[in-house]
Amino acid sequence: MKVYKIGDNILKYRFGTPFPTDAVVKAGEGIEKDSIDYFQIEEKEELKLLYKMAPKDIVFGLGENQRGINKRGGKYISFCSDDPNHTPGKRSLYGAHNFIIIDGMENFGVFIDHPGKVVFDIGFNHKDYLEITIENKNFDLYIIEGNSPREIVSSFLNIIGEGYVPPKWAFGYQQSRWSYPDAEKVEEIADKFIENNIPCDAIYLDIDYMEDYKNFTVSEERFPNFKEFVEKMKDKGFRLIPIIDAGVKIEDGYEIHEEGVEKGYFCVDSEGEPFVAAVWPGKVHFPDFLNRESRLWFGKKYGKLIDCGIEGFWNDMNEPAIFYTNRGIEQAIEEAKNAEGKNLNIDSFFGLKDEFRNISNNIEDYKSFYHNIEGKLVNHYDVHNLYGYNMTRSADEGFKKISPNKRFLLISRSSYIGMHRHSGIWTGDNHSWWEHILLNIKMMPSLNMCGFLYSGADTGGFSDDANGELAVRWTQFSIFTPLFRNHSAKGTRHQEPFAFDEESNSIMKEAIKLRYGLIPYIYSEYMKAIINKDIYFAPISFEYNDEYSRRVEDQLLVGDSLMISPIYEENSRGRYIWLPEDMLLWKAKDYSERKYEIVEKGHRYLDIDIDEIPIFIRKNKVLVLGKHANTVDDIDNEELVVIAFAEDKASYTYYDDDGRSLDYRDGIYSKIIIEIEKREDDYQINVENHGNKDIKRLKLEIVDREGKVTKKTINI
Ligand code: GLC
């Protein structure tokens, strides 16, 4: 074991010869040390790290996973999985995010940098023990110390590098469905948004836009003159976001297939032939994204669609999902033949059933193909969790070659720590279930801790049918998530706001308009979090350390100023909340109508009508609010409403930039610093403008401890 020190508070323990994942961007200095802090090690066939948790310890992290914000009580398996049924017992979803924080008697973070299978048993087998099992003994273990979970997260974000920033328009509302199958339907949807006056910035193209599900092709029949169509839609205010899948269809004459085979860009089987699996188009090869050359080759192909005016993509099925292989089908048929005419008992019948059920995404298949890493063949199974990450890295690297300073929208389904430098993620195939709104709420801070700030769920739910109330309540939560996309599966009820009854449509519309009004705050908080290596969504215990706050799982901090308490139960017209301090409540309905009330610290029951979104402004904090428009580009930025809950003073730093380029990385952005201080019966206001040329007026609404509102206008 070698030990390295990174900064003052991070130690990296290197076991064996780990596969380079590129998750961490900071190297350390070697030091002399022969024992591991905090953990006991058990070494058998696998390596096990053991830690005895104190009764009140909380374990945060693990990004995309089931269960609570506090991960205690569960067992989680990091193995990127194409599993559309996110039921509570599931141990693997699409991402592998091996970072946890222990917060209690001792405070430290742990990151297992290993691209194969890792199991986190957090008090499942034995309630007091954290057991981390790493199947392969070549890995890096990082231990990060800090005084608080926030400090630990920040140190972690610092070593995994600066997060992805999408273009500003990608903070607008986005409408998706599997599928809007042709240009006519896409335009009809766009026109309905316009007719209904509902803001929307993007419409997604699911697999049916392609010719026979072939990546980087467009069906001539369904989308004739694609380039002109993209332009036309942009003129109407909508960007089109096509899907790209991991598998490349095997077909003579299909350029990507032929080139890939010829140049050896695909993963190979044990005979050295391109590995064959089946996904949407039938038989496919998988590009070897772990190989640099293949990655560069595939990344450049995005240019075909970028040349048509496309500015965003979603990378899918990149765990990679395998519907079947010949091996799986043959084995199942063999079993079926053996069973023919027999009197099957409990074991043989269920065995037969499982044989068919396990045809898809079978471990045997993942073990039967290889990546070519600098001339050496590496079995896919050992590096499985890096596949989606590197597909998405390939796209990002392609974008940087095509248009080096332009921001593209990019989201991926599968991910690994470090991918957050290249793209955001959506949380995959959820259901139109109330339970999945709650899961979405709990997952957001965990994803943030692992670096994935630009993320969100399929609002309204992917599988199953949503009713109006579920769509309304989910939308009311999603207006706070940086990625705000409504998506639904084939065969389910349509989920656009206007697909529901008049009342639901109108409430969703008001919520979406409010989202556009909140963009100045959301974007400012998002960007400050990226630049300062901080998070956007946090559990309330990250700021309030009382015993109740430490247990709250369904209220979140959004940026530095807000706390939210979403509704996630059907027929509910209110809920219990815990207020760790007095806060200012705005039950937002229509964003131009603002009524405030002070809610005092304590356990409260809050009435929340179907059209209300409770937004709490924390003590001495500020919310900035802009105007809505039908697209982000059309927002009129001249005036900013500044709502302050100022017991004695409050301040806010408003961040903005061009929203399109990567210039912010060179420090090219503007700031307006607003300081409010109470003076007897009035307030002293200090405003410093550092380079903002858009905003001309600040309209202040300052609320004091008694609820008195003082209004002021400041020209800048
Ligand atoms: C996968 C994706 C889903 C998409 C569907 C068809 O299930 O997760 O979002 O709509 O494939 O492409």
Side-chain angles (χ1 to χ4, degrees):
M1 182 181 74
K2 285 194 189 130
V3 186
Y4 303 81
K5 195 170 161 65
I6 311 174
D8 290 337
N9 58 337
I10 304 177
L11 287 183
K12 169 167 105 177
Y13 300 88
R14 170 154 287 190
F15 292 78
T17 318
F19 184 87
T21 64
D22 292 337
V24 169
V25 294
K26 294 230 159 104
E29 270 173 43
I31 59 163
E32 289 295 317
K33 191 168 172 14
D34 49 21
S35 64
I36 295 187
D37 298 331
Y38 303 104
F39 288 102
Q40 219 177 298
I41 294 196
E42 236 179 62
E43 204 172 338
K44 290 185 192 142
E45 254 166 55
E46 305 171 318
L47 199 133
K48 206 173 254 186
L49 299 164
L50 288 166
Y51 176 77
K52 183 155 198 294
M53 300 181 286
K56 288 189 173 174
D57 283 359
I58 289 180
V59 180
F60 293 112
L62 288 183
E64 192 170 65
N65 255 302
Q66 277 291 356
R67 307 177 91 101
I69 296 178
N70 182 353
K71 288 280 173 276
R72 245 183 121 146
K75 187 167 173 176
Y76 312 87
I77 301 176
S78 284
F79 194 81
C80 297
S81 299
D82 159 40
D83 184 339
N85 277 313
H86 308 170
T87 44
K90 290 293 161 71
R91 291 174 173 164
S92 310
L93 298 176
Y94 310 92
H97 306 146
N98 302 338
F99 174 61
I100 56 170
I101 301 158
I102 288 94
D103 173 37
M105 285 287 281
E106 296 178 298
N107 300 294
F108 61 100
V110 181
F111 171 45
I112 310 289
D113 192 5
H114 175 58
K117 190 165 146 191
V118 182
V119 181
F120 291 84
D121 181 325
I122 310 181
F124 178 77
N125 274 343
H126 187 302
K127 80 177 179 39
D128 295 329
Y129 277 91
L130 161 65
E131 290 182 15
I132 307 173
T133 310
I134 305 112
E135 216 178 52
N136 172 321
K137 292 181 194 164
N138 301 302
F139 66 95
D140 283 327
L141 158 70
Y142 292 79
I143 297 191
I144 303 158
E145 292 186 320
N147 294 319
S148 66
R150 194 157 213 143
E151 224 179 274
I152 293 166
V153 167
S154 183
S155 292
F156 179 59
L157 297 179
N158 196 37
I159 63 164
I160 60 172
E162 191 167 293
Y164 160 79
V165 175
K168 198 174 190 178
W169 57 260
F171 286 82
Y173 176 74
Q174 309 178 32
Q175 185 64 53
S176 184
R177 175 157 177 96
W178 174 20
S179 284
Y180 300 128
D182 51 37
E184 223 169 278
K185 185 72 192 174
V186 171
E187 194 165 353
E188 182 192 313
I189 293 291
D191 288 343
K192 282 210 180 129
F193 273 96
I194 295 169
E195 270 162 40
N196 283 273
N197 215 8
I198 303 174
C200 179
D201 267 83
I203 296 181
Y204 279 62
L205 302 182
D206 209 319
I207 46 176
D208 300 297
Y209 80 89
M210 293 183 242
E211 188 67 58
D212 296 331
Y213 311 118
K214 284 183 284 191
N215 283 323
F216 309 116
T217 66
V218 176
S219 159
E220 262 299 313
E221 194 193 321
R222 292 184 296 279
F223 288 89
N225 308 317
F226 189 59
K227 193 171 178 174
E228 278 100 90
F229 181 63
V230 173
E231 201 52 50
K232 181 178 179 197
M233 294 305 293
K234 222 181 266 186
D235 287 345
K236 288 192 178 212
F238 300 85
R239 284 174 168 95
L240 299 184
I241 317 295
I243 196 168
I244 301 293
D245 285 308
V248 169
K249 184 174 199 283
I250 300 175
E251 186 183 280
D252 287 343
Y254 170 38
E255 176 201 319
I256 317 267
H257 165 246
E258 293 199 337
E259 243 178 64
V261 171
E262 194 198 5
K263 304 256 172 64
Y265 289 148
F266 295 124
C267 293
V268 292
D269 61 20
S270 56
E271 315 277 277
E273 294 299 319
F275 174 71
V276 181
V279 202
W280 306 117
K283 301 273 169 75
V284 300
H285 293 318
F286 289 129
D288 185 356
F289 292 115
L290 275 69
N291 175 288
R292 201 171 157 270
E293 313 277 288
S294 313
R295 206 161 60 225
L296 291 176
W297 163 73
F298 195 85
K300 280 196 208 143
K301 299 291 177 200
Y302 286 79
K304 284 177 175 283
L305 293 164
I306 292 172
D307 285 346
C308 297
I310 293 297
E311 296 177 77
F313 296 89
W314 46 318
N315 280 348
D316 193 21
M317 307 300 270
N318 50 3
E319 295 69 35
I322 295 180
F323 288 174
Y324 67 88
T325 58
N326 278 352
R327 184 210 56 78
I329 297 264
E330 277 158 18
Q331 196 171 308
I333 291 174
E334 191 59 36
E335 290 292 323
K337 279 189 189 149
N338 289 341
E340 201 175 2
K342 293 213 177 111
N343 178 0
L344 301 178
N345 66 12
I346 172 171
D347 295 326
S348 45
F349 173 67
F350 284 106
L352 177 65
K353 216 166 137 188
D354 283 347
E355 202 60 58
F356 280 87
R357 243 205 328 238
N358 294 334
I359 287 178
S360 297
N361 304 320
N362 191 294
I363 295 291
E364 284 311 303
D365 291 326
Y366 289 130
K367 285 186 173 167
S368 68
F369 66 96
Y370 299 83
H371 299 273
N372 180 346
I373 317 281
E374 287 161 15
K376 256 180 66 187
L377 289 185
V378 175
N379 188 280
H380 172 79
Y381 179 77
D382 296 329
V383 291
H384 175 74
N385 292 337
L386 291 179
Y387 194 77
Y389 166 10
N390 280 284
M391 174 184 183
T392 299
R393 179 175 172 187
S394 148
D396 182 35
E397 287 170 353
F399 301 163
K400 298 267 157 41
K401 288 232 150 41
I402 294 161
S403 229
N405 196 31
K406 182 183 163 102
R407 294 188 214 165
F408 286 85
L409 166 62
L410 180 62
I411 52 176
S412 171
R413 194 171 73 174
S414 185
S415 56
Y416 182 79
I417 297 278
M419 196 195 78
H420 74 296
R421 298 193 298 272
H422 303 284
S423 82
I425 55 179
W426 88 99
T427 59
D429 300 348
N430 55 13
H431 278 69
S432 298
W433 297 340
W434 289 89
E435 291 80 355
H436 278 183
I437 305 185
L438 184 58
L439 180 63
N440 186 193
I441 295 168
K442 293 180 182 192
M443 211 189 270
M444 293 316 294
S446 312
L447 284 171
N448 274 234
M449 291 174 211
C450 295
F452 297 99
L453 268 57
Y454 190 73
S455 51
D458 286 351
T459 298
F462 177 72
S463 302
D464 277 353
D465 296 331
N467 67 13
E469 185 166 339
L470 179 130
V472 162
R473 291 305 197 190
W474 209 324
T475 306
Q476 289 171 336
F477 169 63
S478 294
I479 65 161
F480 297 101
T481 63
L483 167 65
F484 179 20
R485 183 182 82 141
N486 175 315
H487 181 47
S488 55
K490 215 180 185 112
T492 63
R493 179 179 185 180
H494 266 261
Q495 237 163 244
E496 304 81 18
F498 36 79
F500 297 100
D501 58 280
E502 198 36 56
E503 187 191 70
S504 306
N505 180 16
S506 131
I507 299 173
M508 284 166 83
K509 168 176 161 174
E510 288 310 320
I512 295 169
K513 281 162 73 180
L514 174 64
R515 158 61 171 234
Y516 279 68
L518 287 169
I519 283 179
Y521 176 78
I522 292 174
Y523 189 67
S524 176
E525 292 303 299
Y526 183 91
M527 290 306 298
K528 285 186 289 180
I530 292 288
I531 291 168
N532 301 329
K533 308 290 178 340
D534 201 351
I535 52 180
Y536 168 88
F537 274 119
I540 69 167
S541 67
F542 272 39
E543 289 298 319
Y544 305 98
N545 207 18
D546 59 88
E547 281 305 306
Y548 293 117
S549 296
R550 286 173 65 75
R551 299 288 158 200
V552 170
E553 293 258 342
D554 58 357
Q555 298 167 215
L556 297 178
L557 297 174
V558 182
D560 188 47
S561 309
L562 303 183
M563 184 186 81
I564 56 166
S565 57
I567 294 281
Y568 51 87
E569 281 180 338
E570 191 154 32
N571 298 315
S572 159
R573 292 297 177 268
R575 54 164 286 183
Y576 286 98
I577 48 161
W578 162 245
L579 260 94
E581 65 173 352
D582 299 353
M583 290 190 192
L584 182 69
L585 170 62
W586 171 29
K587 283 189 197 167
K589 277 186 187 214
D590 168 346
Y591 91 121
S592 52
E593 193 193 302
R594 292 182 296 277
K595 285 194 200 122
Y596 308 115
E597 55 186 287
I598 310 275
V599 186
E600 289 187 355
K601 173 179 172 168
H603 297 283
R604 304 267 166 257
Y605 183 84
L606 210 66
D607 292 317
I608 305 165
D609 216 336
I610 186 72
D611 57 352
E612 291 178 323
I613 304 175
I615 300 177
F616 291 92
I617 302 177
R618 297 168 58 204
K619 199 190 277 180
N620 295 340
K621 303 279 181 188
V622 171
L623 168 64
V624 288
L625 201 62
K627 291 211 167 106
H628 75 85
N630 281 351
T631 68
V632 172
D633 289 342
D634 287 338
I635 295 176
D636 163 8
N637 281 316
E638 287 215 341
E639 192 176 288
L640 207 56
V641 175
V642 178
I643 309 163
F645 178 32
E647 196 176 53
D648 39 35
K649 57 183 174 191
S651 65
Y652 190 73
T653 300
Y654 172 67
Y655 168 103
D656 202 11
D657 60 25
D658 67 13
R660 289 162 187 270
S661 77
L662 297 168
D663 288 352
Y664 67 91
R665 292 189 173 166
D666 301 319
I668 302 174
Y669 47 76
S670 68
K671 277 181 177 177
I672 300 177
I673 302 170
I674 307 159
E675 282 171 339
I676 301 164
E677 211 173 322
K678 198 166 173 124
R679 290 279 158 84
E680 311 240 314
D681 267 354
D682 200 9
Y683 294 90
Q684 165 143 346
I685 320 285
N686 231 331
V687 177
E688 277 176 35
N689 184 1
H690 298 272
N692 189 307
K693 296 198 180 77
D694 295 329
I695 294 177
K696 304 276 178 286
R697 262 180 325 281
L698 298 180
K699 290 208 130 177
L700 284 86
E701 295 180 5
I702 310 168
V703 188
D704 71 7
R705 191 55 205 79
E706 272 65 55
K708 192 177 127 216
V709 185
T710 305
K711 293 192 178 176
K712 282 175 187 281
T713 301
I714 293 188
N715 294 317
I716 55 171

